[in-house]
Amino acid sequence: MATDYYAVLGVRRDASQDEIKKAFRRLARELHPDVNPDPKTQERFKEINAAYEVLSDPNKRQVYDLGGDPLSATGAGGAGGFGQGAGFGFSDIMDAFFGAAGGQRGPRSRTRRGQDAMIRIDIDLEEAAFGTTKDIQVDTAVRCNTCNGEGAAPGTSAQTCDMCRGRGEISQVTRSFLGQVMTSRPCPQCQGFGTVVPTPCPECAGDGRVRARRTLTVKIPAGVDTGTRIQLAGEGEIGPGGGQAGDLYVEISENPHQIFQRRGDDLHCTVTLPMTAASLGTKVPLETLDGMAEIDIRPGTQSGQSIPLHGRGITHLRGGGRGDLIVHVEVLTPGKLDPEQEELMRRLAKLRGEERPSGQFAPGQQGLFSRLKDAFNGR
C-alpha cells in the first residue's frame, strides 16, 4: 500500500465518518492553495483530498482496508494523481472554510406550516370591563376536502421526479484547478420537492388548500383594552400541502363611551354643577357600569375637585379587583344675571365681605418642557 490515508488525515483506522470529516476540514483550512500558495503545501492539499475521497466513501474505504487501491480504477495512481481524476464534493471544501450551512440537503417537504392571521374586532366599554363572547367571521385558507391536502386529483398521487430521482437536486461535475468539483442545485422539474404531481387536484390546483369563510366564537376576558391581542392557536392559515395551521390573533379595538373616558383600569367623567349647588351641596344621579349611583356633592365643593367611587372601574386583566370611577367636578359660574339676581349676588358679596376681593395669586401653569427642566434640576 503506497499511501497510508489514515496517517495523511491524522485519524485512527477505526475513526468514524464524523471524525474523518472534521479532520479533513481542519487540514483544508490550513493547506488550501488560496491560503497557503507554497508548492509543497499544494501537494499536501492534494494528498488530504485523495485520502478524504477514499475514507469518506464506505465502499472505497472497505476496498482500501482490504489492501486495494480504490483510486487506481480512475488512473489516479493514489494520492499523486489528484490533479488527474480525484473527485470530491464542493460542499465539503466550503464547509471546511465557512462551516456547515445548517440547511438540510435532500428533497423539500411539500407540507409546510401555514401563516398566522389577524382580525380586528370592536367592543364596547361595558364588554371590555366585564368580558364577553363574540362570533367572528374568518376568511382564511383551509384544507382542501377534495384531495385532503395532498394536492393530487382523487385517484392519483405524487410521483417520483424522473429528473432527480427523488433527491430534489441535481449535481453537475466540472473540472477546475482543484480537480473535479461537484455542485448541486434544486431540480428545475420538481422545484426541489423530489416529486411531481402529474394530475393536480381541480379544486385547489395542487396547493392542498382553498379559501373559505368560517365562524368562530371568541371568548374575550374582562379587562382587555385597545391593542390587546387574543391568540387562538391553530385557527390561522392552513399550510401548503395541508400543513399545520398557523395561529389567529384577535386584536381588540374599544369604542369610545359617551360619558366615561378610560385611563388604564380607571374611568373618568366630569359633572358640571351650578355655583349654588356646589356651595350648598347636593346629590347627583349617575348611571355607572354597575347601575345607578348617587354622587354626593358636599357643600363648598370647588371646581376641579375629584370624587372617587372605588371599585366601579374596569376589571383588572391579570389579577382580581377593579379600578375606580373618578368624577371630576366643574362649577359653572352664571354669566348673565337679571336685576333681581344681580341684587342678590351683591347682597351675598357684601355679607361675605367679598365686595372688593384682593384675590390670591400663584405661579402660572408650567408647560411640559418647563416641568421636565425642573424635574432634572431637582425642583
Side-chain angles (χ1 to χ4, degrees):
M1 188 178 298
T3 304
D4 186 349
Y5 292 136
Y6 292 102
V8 170
L9 294 182
V11 296
R12 304 186 310 273
R13 298 189 68 85
D14 60 349
S16 65
Q17 288 295 321
D18 188 53
E19 291 173 331
I20 291 172
K21 178 173 286 190
K22 288 181 179 179
F24 168 73
R25 290 177 178 175
R26 176 177 52 81
L27 292 171
R29 293 190 191 99
E30 301 173 1
L31 304 175
H32 194 277
D34 291 343
V35 177
N36 196 335
D38 183 70
K40 293 183 179 180
T41 302
Q42 294 183 22
E43 291 298 323
R44 172 71 171 148
F45 184 66
K46 294 178 182 179
E47 291 179 2
I48 67 168
N49 277 285
Y52 181 68
E53 180 186 358
V54 173
L55 300 184
S56 62
D57 187 322
N59 294 328
K60 292 181 180 181
R61 183 177 180 181
Q62 183 178 15
V63 172
Y64 175 75
D65 289 340
L66 293 175
D69 187 354
L71 297 182
S72 62
T74 64
F82 168 77
Q84 300 295 324
F88 57 91
F90 180 72
S91 61
D92 293 324
I93 293 293
M94 299 305 294
D95 286 350
F97 281 91
F98 305 106
Q104 181 179 359
R105 301 188 64 179
R108 295 190 297 136
S109 174
R110 289 186 179 274
T111 303
R112 300 192 301 277
R113 183 184 184 276
Q115 293 184 347
D116 296 337
M118 188 181 74
I119 188 171
R120 184 177 289 105
I121 62 173
D122 297 328
I123 63 173
D124 295 329
L125 180 65
E126 293 82 358
E127 295 173 323
F130 303 114
T132 186
T133 56
K134 289 280 189 179
D135 290 335
I136 59 175
Q137 299 289 325
V138 183
D139 187 8
T140 59
V142 298
R143 181 177 285 105
C144 176
N145 291 327
T146 303
C147 64
N148 198 29
E150 295 182 359
T156 67
S157 61
Q159 304 294 324
T160 301
C161 176
D162 56 7
M163 178 175 287
C164 66
R165 298 184 179 181
R167 291 183 293 122
E169 59 184 15
I170 57 176
S171 301
Q172 182 178 6
V173 179
T174 58
R175 298 185 63 85
S176 72
F177 73 97
L178 297 176
Q180 292 181 345
V181 178
M182 180 180 295
T183 57
S184 299
R185 60 187 177 90
C187 175
Q189 180 166 291
C190 66
Q191 286 77 49
F193 292 117
T195 59
V196 294
V197 181
T199 309
C201 172
E203 183 69 23
C204 64
D207 191 41
R209 54 184 184 168
V210 294
R211 305 292 299 187
R213 176 167 293 183
R214 51 203 173 102
T215 301
L216 295 176
T217 300
V218 182
K219 182 178 180 180
I220 300 174
V224 296
D225 199 353
T226 295
T228 301
R229 290 185 179 181
I230 302 171
Q231 181 181 11
L232 302 179
E235 296 293 350
E237 300 270 353
I238 288 289
Q244 178 186 356
D247 298 334
L248 174 65
Y249 291 89
V250 179
E251 185 173 272
I252 302 298
S253 178
E254 186 179 290
N255 296 323
H257 195 271
Q258 291 183 347
I259 298 176
F260 302 120
Q261 181 184 34
R262 180 174 178 176
R263 301 175 192 170
D265 289 340
D266 294 334
L267 297 178
H268 296 257
C269 70
T270 299
V271 57
T272 303
L273 298 172
M275 180 182 66
T276 52
S279 299
L280 300 175
T282 186
K283 292 184 181 295
V284 180
L286 174 63
E287 184 69 35
T288 71
L289 299 183
D290 301 280
M292 190 64 67
E294 281 193 341
I295 310 300
D296 186 14
I297 307 296
R298 297 181 179 180
T301 297
Q302 302 297 310
S303 186
Q305 281 188 285
S306 299
I307 303 173
L309 299 181
H310 299 293
R312 295 292 187 100
I314 304 296
T315 304
H316 299 313
L317 182 59
R318 294 177 178 84
R322 294 171 60 182
D324 299 330
L325 169 58
I326 302 173
V327 180
H328 301 272
V329 178
E330 182 179 301
V331 178
L332 183 63
T333 303
K336 294 186 67 175
L337 301 174
D338 60 30
E340 183 179 358
Q341 293 172 344
E342 184 177 352
E343 178 62 26
L344 289 174
M345 292 293 287
R346 291 187 184 280
R347 288 174 56 190
L348 177 62
K350 184 176 181 180
L351 291 173
R352 291 180 56 84
E354 299 173 349
E355 293 175 288
R356 292 183 177 274
S358 58
Q360 296 180 358
F361 295 92
Q365 184 177 5
Q366 291 178 301
L368 174 62
F369 291 103
S370 297
R371 294 198 300 271
L372 289 175
K373 180 179 179 182
D374 288 348
F376 280 112
N377 292 333
R379 298 178 184 175

